[in-house]
Amino acid sequence: MNLLRPVRTRYAPSPTGFQHIGGLRTALYCYLFAKKHQGTLVLRIEDTDQKRYVAGAEQYILDACQWVGIEFDESPIVGGAFGPYRQSERRHIYKEYIAILLQNGGAYYAFDSAESLEQLRQSHEAAGGSFTYNALNRLQLNNSLTRSADEVAELLRKGADYTVRLKTPEQPEAITFYDQVRGEVTFQSSEIDDKVLYKSDGWPTYHLANVVDDHLMQISHVVRGEEWLSSTPLHVLLYRYFGWSDTMPQFAHLPLLLNPGGRGKLSKRHADQLGFPVFPLAWSNAATSESSNGFREMGFRPAAFTNFLALLGWNDGSEREIFSMDELIAAFDLERVHKAGAKFDFDKAKWFNAQYLKNTPDEILTEDLLHDKQAQGKSRAFLQEAIGMYKDRLTFLHEFWENTTFLFEAPKTYDTEALRKSWKDDTAEHLSQLKNRFEQLPVFDAASVEQCIKDYAAEKNIKMGALMPPLRLALTGIGGGASLPHIAALIERFEVVKRIDNALQNWQNLL
Ligand code: GLU
């Protein structure tokens, strides 16, 4: 790596749709790499394709990045010394740079109509081939290479529609560049077509705008999805034609995210079928009335989601999986990004969330719970105690409410099957005796409740296993859950006694 240059990476999304988690992973890797090298992360909005512009997509990108903790040092919002950061606001710049290529022969005007090109495409396809505008046929087409300078000047003066095309090398050559993920990559110049760089409507295409901006914004590392690998030789040519080869950025193309089965690019359609989202945040598009759920809305914690995302295509060389953002920054390395596509695994995403819940201090989880409507009227101390007992058993925090209704109100129903299983002739007698002992305890905390049950069992020469299940059913209505003495202590003695009484009454009809 050329460490003489300050590291400047950019995330350069096109607001043509809502950002998929693949895009967010690109942003994350750009961020990790920039931070690791005390560099700068730029957000550049590549909105040159106005026909595909989706309102709200830019804000969505900002929101999603903010949710996972990616901060941009320069962006359309925070500004910076290399702005503007929306390509639609930089058209005067592209106009200036396309003029340079037209002048030095790196590009040429093409006047072919869309219909004539379509006809060529069709006739080539009918003959079993495909049509590419390139060095082999451009001298038979309608452009400034085949028309005289006067004719071209006249057409331009009359306002004819045109495109400006890249002039790929006349003599076939190998174009080689180094990719930090893939190593040396070579394309033949004959595989590249004379791509359109600019149009007479004053808009550049992706290729021109992207290269000009990466140069002017002094980007040192281009980190982007693998789908752009085949555009890179074209960009290498552009750097050469502009005379910028010496400061060309280093490239790193990230592996695709694949569907869980490993076949094909991770798609919304496939994910919908399997019941998980491919978007970080939920969205809805008023124009198309489409919508999608998001990881945030499903209850993923941003740090867990970021950790999961970082490991989709990278690891630190060990078995380690849990990393905070700072740890990711310290460990991240482009050279360790995998070449093979990364299979998306929703169960793994949930596993990360469960790990994060386990490792998050009770006070922080309580703070989050207090924002939920179910928390109304509940005491902070009570919730903190309860989440401490339950966090190891949850995948998502919201499951807390579903799994612990009995902490807040007496059970209205009982798991009858479990009850029948644990019921013996003397169960009612044991429960009522235990209740009496609970009433006598000097202190009613988890330890004394537990000791009390143990002592009772020892005295009566019965197993704890004969007492606990019916007692649990009486207090919670269900068969499993956190430690019963802790539950009892949390709901307090008065409630415990009441619930045992209730159960003994209600159960008569159930058994
Ligand atoms: N605007 C392109 C995209 O939407 C950026 C590709 C690149 O990073 O060069 O992904």
Side-chain angles (χ1 to χ4, degrees):
M1 192 191 344
N2 178 2
L3 282 175
L4 297 175
R5 264 178 104 182
V7 167
R8 288 178 57 82
T9 60
R10 82 321 190 252
Y11 177 48
S14 299
T16 51
F18 294 95
Q19 178 195 43
H20 178 280
I21 57 169
L24 191 60
R25 185 197 58 177
T26 301
L28 177 64
Y29 284 9
C30 291
Y31 174 74
L32 296 177
F33 185 75
K35 289 292 144 208
K36 165 141 192 173
H37 297 285
Q38 286 86 44
T40 302
L41 174 63
V42 176
L43 173 68
R44 184 174 72 226
I45 300 295
E46 300 209 327
D47 55 351
T48 55
D49 193 345
Q50 293 284 305
K51 283 199 288 298
R52 295 180 56 214
Y53 184 83
V54 170
E58 178 181 324
Q59 190 56 47
Y60 183 91
I61 291 161
L62 292 165
D63 293 345
C65 287
Q66 191 187 29
W67 180 58
V68 296
I70 298 172
E71 286 164 19
F72 296 102
D73 302 297
E74 298 170 25
S75 76
I77 309 304
V78 299
F82 298 87
Y85 292 94
R86 278 188 203 97
Q87 290 188 326
S88 56
E89 294 162 21
R90 299 172 63 82
R91 287 160 64 192
H92 56 289
I93 301 175
Y94 311 125
K95 189 171 179 195
E96 206 179 298
Y97 281 90
I98 199 64
I100 296 175
L101 291 186
L102 282 164
Q103 182 120 57
N104 72 14
Y108 59 91
Y109 288 107
F111 299 100
D112 317 84
S113 65
E115 298 77 48
S116 68
L117 292 176
E118 185 50 37
Q119 262 174 18
L120 280 166
R121 221 162 274 134
Q122 282 178 12
S123 60
H124 276 72
E125 269 165 29
S130 65
F131 171 72
T132 1
Y133 208 118
N134 63 14
L136 294 177
N137 59 21
R138 64 189 170 218
L139 293 182
Q140 280 93 56
L141 294 161
N142 185 3
N143 54 48
S144 57
L145 305 173
T146 55
R147 287 175 172 256
S148 72
D150 284 348
E151 274 177 325
V152 171
E154 181 58 14
L155 278 168
L156 295 178
R157 198 188 55 75
K158 285 203 313 229
D161 282 346
Y162 64 82
T163 58
V164 179
R165 287 181 178 271
L166 174 80
K167 192 170 170 212
T168 55
E170 260 149 41
Q171 296 305 321
E173 61 168 281
I175 301 174
T176 298
F177 56 91
Y178 183 77
D179 183 278
Q180 289 195 275
V181 176
R182 278 142 228 280
E184 210 168 80
V185 180
T186 300
F187 283 85
Q188 300 304 322
S189 67
S190 52
E191 295 171 53
I192 309 167
D193 44 338
D194 288 6
K195 280 270 188 288
V196 171
L197 300 176
Y198 192 83
K199 291 168 285 157
S200 45
D201 61 7
W203 285 90
T205 62
Y206 157 72
H207 302 291
L208 178 74
N210 187 270
V211 166
V212 166
D213 287 348
D214 281 344
H215 174 74
L216 295 179
M217 295 181 180
Q218 297 180 11
I219 299 303
S220 62
H221 293 78
V222 166
V223 178
R224 62 185 171 196
E226 184 183 299
E227 62 273 33
W228 303 103
L229 186 67
S230 60
S231 296
T232 308
L234 214 120
H235 299 177
V236 171
L237 284 180
L238 281 170
Y239 284 103
R240 186 200 295 173
Y241 293 171
F242 277 121
W244 300 334
S245 296
D246 287 352
T247 54
M248 185 168 81
Q250 307 237 357
F251 294 101
H253 289 90
L254 307 178
L256 291 177
L257 295 189
L258 305 177
N259 283 320
R263 283 233 192 96
K265 237 169 113 165
L266 178 63
S267 69
K268 177 174 186 310
R269 197 176 50 83
H270 201 85
D272 280 349
Q273 281 165 4
L274 296 172
F276 62 82
V278 291
F279 296 92
L281 317 179
W283 56 262
S284 60
N285 186 343
T288 60
S289 44
E290 287 173 299
S291 64
S292 175
N293 198 4
F295 283 85
R296 178 178 66 182
E297 289 69 17
M298 286 197 84
F300 279 88
R301 302 189 76 73
F305 181 67
T306 311
N307 192 159
F308 163 69
L309 204 55
L311 269 86
L312 273 180
W314 169 87
N315 68 10
D316 75 343
S318 74
E319 298 286 299
R320 181 172 174 191
E321 296 187 287
I322 302 292
F323 293 85
S324 68
M325 188 68 112
D326 284 343
E327 289 165 344
L328 284 172
I329 291 170
F332 188 75
D333 188 348
L334 282 173
E335 311 276 345
R336 288 209 57 87
V337 170
H338 309 153
K339 288 192 200 48
K343 266 188 239 162
F344 185 85
D345 180 350
F346 189 57
D347 287 335
K348 191 75 197 193
K350 291 199 288 194
W351 177 84
F352 272 103
N353 209 58
Q355 297 305 307
Y356 272 76
L357 282 182
K358 263 191 202 119
N359 298 332
T360 304
D362 299 349
E363 307 83 76
I364 296 182
L365 296 177
T366 307
E367 207 49 55
D368 291 353
L369 286 174
L370 283 166
H371 289 118
D372 293 341
K373 60 175 184 323
Q374 296 96 319
Q376 249 183 22
K378 317 259 149 74
S379 101
R380 177 186 293 264
F382 185 94
L383 286 177
Q384 188 159 318
E385 190 72 28
I387 193 61
M389 283 159 50
Y390 269 87
K391 66 179 184 181
D392 286 4
R393 299 165 179 274
L394 308 175
T395 300
F396 297 112
L397 189 58
H398 58 72
E399 293 169 350
F400 169 78
W401 299 111
E402 295 143 34
N403 294 347
T404 62
T405 45
F406 53 81
L407 292 181
F408 307 98
E409 53 184 51
K412 294 197 180 70
T413 56
Y414 299 94
D415 179 342
T416 333
E417 204 177 314
L419 182 59
R420 287 189 184 133
K421 237 189 243 163
S422 66
W423 191 261
K424 302 276 163 341
D425 290 344
D426 52 2
T427 304
E429 176 57 22
H430 291 318
L431 285 188
S432 82
Q433 289 211 30
L434 262 181
K435 184 196 78 170
N436 294 340
R437 294 198 179 196
F438 288 159
E439 284 178 310
Q440 314 292 310
L441 282 176
V443 186
F444 194 79
D445 60 13
S448 37
V449 168
E450 185 166 1
Q451 197 54 52
C452 173
I453 304 173
K454 269 191 191 145
D455 293 347
Y456 180 83
E459 241 173 73
K460 304 282 170 186
N461 200 18
I462 49 173
K463 292 205 178 86
M464 290 285 274
L467 290 177
M468 287 306 218
L471 183 58
R472 182 182 286 283
L473 283 160
L475 300 189
T476 69
I478 54 176
S483 135
L484 194 58
H486 284 86
I487 294 177
L490 187 63
I491 61 178
E492 297 184 18
R493 183 185 342 233
F494 175 77
E495 185 67 21
V496 168
V497 167
K498 199 172 83 187
R499 289 190 192 185
I500 296 175
D501 280 340
N502 268 351
L504 291 176
Q505 262 178 30
N506 290 329
W507 286 353
Q508 304 200 332
N509 339 321
L510 292 177
L511 289 158

